[in-house]
Amino acid sequence: MIPAMFLLVNSTSLTLALLLLPLVAFSLFAPYSSAVVLGQTYLSKNIGFASGVTLGLTTTFGGLVTPIIGRAADMYGISAALQCLWLVAIFGALCSFALRTPDSLKQPKHCMV
């Protein structure tokens, strides 16, 4: 998403922007199912709760951040506000590298006798 959003926001060509828009849309919505599965892996004893938490928190966080981006658009213009989106994507990507491997995915250690 980061390169597609960066190119979309900084594009001066309408044709390029229209070609990048589906890629940005796909990259925004494609990870939802993997996020739910990852949440269910972390909370394997409460799969339904994990689904609600992962989708609920992402929707809630987006709802909380949207007015801030709207305020930035009012103060600095749409272009500046949209620049925030690919910067937030970088922050999200960096945070994903900090996730621990869930216990259910760790390989059992075999004892050599």
Side-chain angles (χ1 to χ4, degrees):
M1 178 186 134
I2 297 166
M5 181 62 87
F6 176 79
L7 291 172
L8 175 69
V9 170
N10 293 302
S11 172
T12 56
S13 164
L14 179 61
T15 305
L16 179 61
L18 288 174
L19 290 173
L20 288 169
L21 197 56
L23 183 60
V24 169
F26 178 76
S27 66
L28 281 172
F29 294 107
Y32 275 102
S33 57
S34 355
V36 170
V37 171
L38 185 62
Q40 290 172 340
T41 305
Y42 277 113
L43 299 170
S44 58
K45 292 182 182 175
N46 302 311
I47 291 177
F49 177 72
S51 302
V53 166
T54 52
L55 288 179
L57 285 178
T58 55
T59 304
T60 301
F61 184 72
L64 291 172
V65 172
T66 301
I68 296 168
I69 293 174
R71 180 71 175 149
D74 289 341
M75 293 174 64
Y76 305 109
I78 286 255
S79 179
L82 290 176
Q83 293 292 340
C84 296
L85 297 178
W86 69 269
L87 293 171
V88 169
I90 290 173
F91 177 72
L94 292 174
C95 287
S96 70
F97 289 115
L99 290 174
R100 294 181 308 142
T101 302
D103 292 336
S104 60
L105 295 179
K106 290 182 181 174
Q107 296 294 330
K109 296 184 180 190
H110 298 288
C111 295
M112 300 289 284
V113 178

